[in-house]
Amino acid sequence: MASHTRVVEMMSCEITGDLVVRGKPDPEIFELAAKTLGADAAACVVIEDTPVGCEAGQSAGMRTIAVPSIRDRAAFERCADAVIHSLYDLDLAKFGLPAFEDWLPLDDGSADAVLPIPPVVMRGPVVKGFGRGAKELGIPTANLDVAALKFQVDSLAPGIYLGFAKLRGKIYQQVMSIGWNPFFDNAKKTIEPWLLHDFGDDGDFYGEELELVVSAYLRPEADFTTLEALITRIHRDAEVARTMLQREELKHTVELLH
């Protein structure tokens, strides 16, 4: 937490491992936290990234949310009340706590909403991906090299995002995935932006310089039951992006593109 001083300053108390005798999965650290806060265990929510941490939370009589630090989500199902993909997906209202107020609803009667994030800029040449965007999905993507953008990618949880792109001197809206694409079970992490424009026969971007600004988080990655369901959801993501990128809260982020 040393790099997150503002977060620490907002905490009512700090309980660390050197203050207890027994480590997780023993519940001592959580019991001490509740005692220090003067809170009943049943009113507490534990957020953990390991199975032993979740076990400790449940043993303390607290509701437990897992944000896995490993890809094996099944390891958490027996010891957590909820398993989420990232802290972006944390919904404390489901646990009787005040809801976050920074999500922007689409206001079309659907449950779709986006979460504005500190904008992240990425730049690099377009590289070859798995070759299935246009062929299998009918959705051509302009992939970037994850290795060259490790710092930017590591600052974002795997999921679906929206923002703007600059290619060949022009600006486009874009929706993108960052992660492993559970439907295809990719062996490596990818950055796959879809520029929301019909380039026709002029859509071969390999080697060309692409700039992106990631402006908001839309949803976690998901393992769809059929290819058709995946395609339908991606097109819905595009609809959401086109609408939300016109909102005042997001459209200014285009100014970060040179």
Side-chain angles (χ1 to χ4, degrees):
M1 296 296 292
S3 62
H4 300 280
T5 53
R6 288 186 58 207
V7 176
V8 174
E9 289 169 359
M10 290 186 284
M11 292 183 176
S12 299
C13 73
E14 298 173 51
I15 307 297
T16 54
D18 59 336
L19 298 178
V20 297
V21 176
R22 300 177 298 278
K24 304 170 188 175
D26 190 276
E28 183 182 5
I29 192 167
F30 294 127
E31 292 171 342
L32 179 58
K35 181 179 179 180
T36 304
L37 289 169
D40 184 75
C44 297
V45 175
V46 169
I47 302 171
E48 263 287 348
D49 65 346
T50 65
V52 293
C54 290
E55 290 176 22
Q58 289 202 327
S59 295
M62 302 175 181
R63 291 166 294 175
T64 304
I65 302 172
V67 189
S69 56
I70 57 177
R71 292 182 66 184
D72 183 12
R73 292 171 59 86
F76 294 84
E77 291 175 357
R78 64 177 176 80
C79 57
D81 297 290
V83 183
I84 60 177
H85 291 79
S86 74
L87 290 175
Y88 291 147
D89 304 309
L90 182 61
D91 185 357
L92 291 178
K94 292 181 178 179
F95 294 84
L97 296 173
F100 294 119
E101 299 179 352
D102 42 2
W103 282 83
L104 304 177
L106 192 61
D107 291 333
D108 65 347
S110 72
D112 286 317
V114 303
L115 176 67
I117 62 173
V120 176
V121 176
M122 303 183 185
R123 300 183 180 89
V126 176
V127 300
K128 288 186 179 293
F130 294 101
R132 57 187 173 225
K135 294 178 183 177
E136 294 186 48
L137 305 177
I139 299 169
T141 56
N143 296 17
L144 292 178
D145 182 11
V146 170
L149 296 165
K150 186 179 186 305
F151 177 81
Q152 292 91 330
V153 172
D154 286 351
S155 71
L156 298 167
I160 310 303
Y161 295 83
L162 51 93
F164 297 93
K166 184 176 182 181
L167 179 73
R168 299 170 179 169
K170 295 184 178 180
I171 301 293
Y172 304 96
Q173 295 175 330
Q174 59 94 2
V175 62
M176 66 189 295
S177 69
I178 296 177
W180 289 272
N181 196 328
F183 182 81
F184 293 106
D185 195 22
N186 292 349
K188 64 179 183 179
K189 208 171 189 179
T190 59
I191 305 172
E192 302 183 63
W194 176 24
L195 277 57
L196 303 181
H197 178 79
D198 183 2
F199 289 92
D201 295 332
D202 198 24
D204 184 352
F205 313 132
Y206 294 131
E208 296 192 43
E209 190 73 9
L210 175 66
E211 284 188 79
L212 302 173
V213 59
V214 186
S215 310
Y217 173 79
L218 175 53
R219 62 174 178 86
E221 293 186 295
D223 188 2
F224 294 88
T225 56
T226 66
L227 184 64
E228 291 72 22
L230 171 61
I231 293 171
T232 297
R233 181 63 241 193
I234 294 174
H235 280 283
R236 174 58 177 172
D237 294 339
E239 291 177 13
V240 174
R242 289 187 178 101
T243 299
M244 299 306 289
L245 288 171
Q246 298 180 53
R247 294 275 296 264
E248 292 295 333
E249 296 93 335
L250 298 178
K251 69 179 184 179
H252 71 279
T253 60
V254 71
E255 298 170 5
L256 296 174
L257 297 178
H258 295 162

